[in-house]
Amino acid sequence: YFREKATGLGLNLGHSTSQVFPIIIGSDRRMLYELAIEMNDKGLFLAPVDYPSVPEDGLRFRVAVTAAHTREDLDQALQILED
């Protein structure tokens, strides 16, 4: 559900086929951390993954969806990502 909706928002989720997947934002390091702070302030924590853990042009957030997340949780996260 989350992957389908996030893809529909135009987010680049890479090629992961598990419940852990990236939201790839590219090479803008400043944006990576500004977005992390903004999302966290709105109630969504996504771990930023920076170089050298990933290529410099593949900076991303790590998303981990679990069975403990409700549809409401996922919809709230999707709304924050869309905003």
Side-chain angles (χ1 to χ4, degrees), residues 24-82:
I24 302 168
I25 64 159
S27 60
D28 190 336
R29 183 168 283 114
R30 172 172 273 175
M31 183 174 70
L32 177 72
Y33 289 101
E34 286 175 353
L35 286 173
I37 291 166
E38 185 177 339
M39 289 186 296
N40 193 51
D41 288 347
K42 292 180 178 183
L44 177 61
F45 174 75
L46 293 180
V49 183
D50 198 350
Y51 176 83
S53 297
V54 295
E56 288 186 86
D57 63 349
L59 305 180
R60 63 196 64 198
F61 294 101
R62 181 180 181 269
V63 178
V65 177
T66 72
H69 290 109
T70 64
R71 178 71 64 102
E72 183 178 315
D73 294 333
L74 299 176
D75 285 338
Q76 182 180 8
L78 289 161
Q79 186 62 57
I80 291 168
L81 287 167
E82 183 176 26

